[in-house]
């Protein structure tokens, strides 16, 4: 027993201690290429530089990370693992199940992560009892981002229901402003549709349909009505929306060329990078009819099973990521909220403070749901099928809500 204890203690010490021949570099694959995202990533680069680690950047542009995940797959297939990769929920679990991830459990125990990281995130960062990823943040997708000057000009107020939202969009249209800034890429359209479904069907419906994949819910009249509502929103989008990047849609709102964007709170990172202040320059409201619920995703750094001489760098990265000071500094810039429950909200702006409070309330009240569009509702194959159907509907390849529902049920069934 004593021998076993000593052996374990030795292993723990050796894994956590630096050696002379350790690689002093962190190689990171990610899709943080917009202005706000790059500013947030700089916080991490600087923290690691202070500890003597160089940064080897592997950026793969494309919001939502689909292109990045294709690039990662190729690297992993070639046996060329990065120290870590940005990943969303079910993707972490897939790589872990395939035996590709390392084991951060010793570090996690030493640092007390299990007490600080919300259970909703541990479900994805811990596989088979082992920590395989370091959660960076919690984003939430059911937000409206509004240009305040345009809002004042049209005499708008916070829309509390879907119908009030439509009335607000009508006011912008009448004033000659593009009402809704949307990027016509499948992940953006599906991210918006997550909110539409929650608003149309309510919390229980969202959970059943998009977290439990309950077929009755997926093929229900409520889902049909959700597509009807999506079709209504499409009426307020400008004709050049196809293929537009999400941050360019945010820029339309920042500049006052559009009233509102429905997007995850990474959009706030763009407002911040443009020195815009909530309450003065822009407004953040929950998507109408979803107050009290939070649809979340969380960026995780998936930690691969790297060679021994890279483990110290990986551990340094993981510790830096989950330190309280980093969790505050990074998320203030990124637009997200901390992945730990014990980080004070002092340095966050009004939207960030609301985000932190909303997350806690949703977590306590059972209204915190994984985003299907953002990798936290179901495994990637199902999420991709979903994004595809929603996008075909938005771009007119599917012409009725009824057909959209049929194709959604079929595509999800095939992907399962
Ligand atoms: C990520 C965010 C990122 C956004 C746009 C989301 O999937 O969670 O961190 O800012 O995509 O790139």
């Amino acid at each position: 027993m004593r021998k076993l204890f000593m052996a374990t203690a030795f292993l723990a010490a050796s894994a956590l201690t630096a050696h002379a021949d350790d690689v002093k570099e962190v190689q990171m694959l990610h899709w943080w290429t917009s202005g706000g995202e790059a500013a947030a990533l700089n916080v991490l680069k600087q923290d690691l530089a202070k500890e003597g680690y160089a940064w080897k950047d592997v950026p793969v542009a494309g919001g939502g990370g689909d292109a990045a995940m294709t690039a990662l797959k190729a690297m992993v297939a070639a046996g060329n693992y990065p120290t870590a990769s940005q990943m969303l929920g079910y993707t972490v679990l897939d790589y872990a199940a395939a035996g590709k991830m390392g084991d951060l459990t010793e570090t996690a125990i030493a640092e007390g992560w299990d007490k600080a990281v919300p259970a909703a995130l541990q479900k994805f960062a811990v596989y088979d009892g082992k920590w395989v990823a370091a959660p960076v943040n919690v984003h939430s997708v059911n937000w409206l981002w509004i240009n305040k000057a345009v809002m004042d000009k049209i005499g708008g107020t916070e829309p509390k229901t879907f119908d009030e939202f439509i009335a607000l969009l009508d006011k912008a249209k009448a004033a000659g402003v593009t009402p809704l800034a949307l990027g016509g890429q499948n992940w953006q359209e599906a991210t918006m549709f997550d909110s539409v479904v929650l608003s149309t069907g309510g919390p229980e419906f969202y959970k059943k349909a998009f977290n439990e994949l309950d077929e009755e819910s997926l093929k229900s009249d409520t889902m049909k009505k959700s597509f009807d509502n999506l079709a209504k929103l499409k009426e307020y989008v400008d004709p050049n929306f196809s293929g537009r990047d999400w941050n360019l849609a945010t820029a339309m709102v920042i500049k006052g060329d559009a009233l509102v964007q429905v997007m995850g709170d990474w959009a706030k990172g763009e407002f911040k990078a443009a020195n815009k202040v909530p309450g003065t320059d822009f407004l953040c409201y929950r998507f109408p009819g979803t107050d009290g619920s939070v649809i979340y995703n969380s960026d995780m750094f998936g930690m691969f099973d790297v060679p021994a001489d890279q483990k110290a760098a990986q551990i340094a990265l993981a510790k830096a990521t989950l330190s309280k000071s980093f969790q505050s500094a990074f998320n203030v810039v990124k637009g997200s909220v901390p992945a730990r429950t014990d980080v004070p909200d002092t340095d966050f702006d009004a939207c960030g403070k609301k985000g932190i409070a909303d997350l806690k309330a949703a977590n306590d009240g059972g209204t915190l749901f994984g985003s299907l569009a953002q990798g936290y509702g179901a495994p990637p194959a199902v999420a991709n099928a979903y994004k595809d159907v929603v996008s075909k509907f938005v771009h007119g390849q599917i012409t009725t809500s009824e057909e959209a529902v049929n194709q959604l049920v079929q595509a999800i069934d095939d992907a399962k």
Side-chain angles (χ1 to χ4, degrees):
M1 182 64 195
R2 191 173 145 73
K3 256 193 191 153
L4 181 69
F5 171 76
M6 282 175 63
T8 316
F10 172 75
L11 274 179
S14 62
L16 294 174
T17 312
H19 296 105
D21 51 356
D22 282 341
V23 175
K24 297 292 278 181
E25 178 185 86
V26 165
Q27 186 187 16
M28 166 79 73
L29 189 146
H30 63 87
W31 62 93
W32 286 332
T33 55
S34 77
E37 293 172 333
L41 195 56
N42 265 335
V43 178
L44 182 59
K45 287 184 195 171
Q46 280 161 11
D47 280 6
L48 284 168
K50 277 185 221 143
E51 291 182 43
Y53 287 96
W55 184 266
K56 191 168 171 202
D57 210 31
V58 189
V60 184
D66 289 337
M69 289 304 95
T70 306
L72 179 65
K73 213 176 197 171
M75 280 178 78
V76 172
N80 172 22
Y81 301 169
T83 319
S85 172
Q86 181 187 0
M87 285 184 190
L88 300 173
Y90 279 94
T91 306
V92 178
L93 300 181
D94 275 4
Y95 277 109
K100 304 291 182 197
M101 303 312 267
D103 183 358
L104 291 168
T105 311
E106 278 170 23
T107 309
I109 292 172
E111 300 279 313
W113 293 352
D114 55 332
K115 282 171 227 91
V117 174
L121 304 193
Q122 289 195 35
K123 239 174 74 188
F124 296 95
V126 179
Y127 179 79
D128 211 8
K130 296 187 187 118
W131 282 83
V132 296
V136 188
N137 59 12
V138 185
H139 270 303
S140 112
V141 309
N142 53 316
W143 287 109
L144 301 183
W145 304 97
I146 293 183
N147 180 296
K148 169 102 171 26
V150 176
M151 189 73 157
D152 290 346
K153 185 174 139 199
I154 65 173
T157 51
E158 178 179 358
K160 286 292 195 182
T161 62
F162 189 81
D163 289 345
E164 286 178 20
F165 189 32
I166 295 296
L168 179 67
L169 295 170
D170 273 330
K171 280 188 174 205
K173 196 174 182 178
V177 181
T178 297
L180 183 58
L182 177 66
Q185 297 172 344
N186 70 1
W187 73 272
Q188 293 185 62
E189 293 149 353
T191 299
M192 181 164 87
F193 192 55
D194 277 0
S195 294
V196 175
V197 168
L198 176 61
S199 171
T200 310
E204 272 313 300
F205 179 77
Y206 182 92
K207 183 170 156 197
K208 281 200 132 167
F210 281 2
N211 289 175
E212 296 169 6
L213 304 181
D214 168 56
E215 192 162 321
E216 286 311 308
S217 307
L218 287 170
K219 65 181 189 201
S220 64
D221 282 347
T222 308
M223 189 57 76
K224 189 167 158 280
K225 185 156 181 239
S226 303
F227 278 104
D228 290 344
N229 283 342
L230 180 60
K232 283 186 194 156
L233 291 182
K234 164 86 200 297
E235 296 299 308
Y236 298 94
V237 171
D238 68 298
N240 301 321
F241 82 108
S242 267
R244 175 187 290 142
D245 287 332
W246 70 271
N247 52 319
L248 299 182
T250 312
M252 290 168 68
V253 178
I254 293 176
K255 285 192 240 147
D257 293 342
L259 171 70
V260 54
Q261 181 184 24
V262 180
M263 191 38 68
D265 39 20
W266 47 89
K268 201 192 74 187
E270 300 303 299
F271 284 93
K272 286 236 133 191
N275 290 320
K276 301 296 182 193
V277 178
T280 308
D281 303 310
F282 70 98
L283 304 164
C284 55
Y285 297 137
R286 285 293 170 189
F287 188 93
T290 72
D291 223 358
S293 297
V294 170
I295 307 178
Y296 81 98
N297 77 330
S298 160
D299 293 301
M300 301 214 171
F301 291 155
M303 301 290 182
F304 285 94
D305 190 11
V306 290
D309 62 353
Q310 294 174 30
K311 295 237 191 252
Q314 193 173 61
I315 288 169
L317 169 67
K319 280 166 95 171
T321 302
L322 272 156
S323 79
K324 281 167 118 182
S325 58
F326 171 80
Q327 285 285 326
S328 179
F330 175 91
N331 287 308
V332 159
V333 181
K334 184 69 172 67
S336 37
V337 305
R340 309 178 53 122
T341 51
D342 55 357
V343 177
D345 71 359
T346 329
D347 290 344
F348 288 80
D349 63 24
C351 303
K353 285 189 168 63
K354 176 168 168 55
I356 292 172
D358 286 357
L359 176 64
K360 185 176 184 319
N363 190 36
D364 294 347
T367 51
L368 176 64
F369 308 115
S371 161
L372 184 54
Q374 289 289 327
Y376 279 81
V382 171
N384 288 338
Y386 164 62
K387 288 187 265 191
D388 189 48
V389 171
V390 171
S391 194
K392 281 186 175 146
F393 181 76
V394 172
H395 293 268
Q397 289 143 279
I398 297 174
T399 50
T400 66
S401 298
E402 200 166 12
E403 196 194 335
V405 167
N406 290 341
Q407 290 215 18
L408 183 67
V409 172
Q410 186 64 51
I412 289 184
D413 203 41
D414 291 348
K416 276 203 290 205

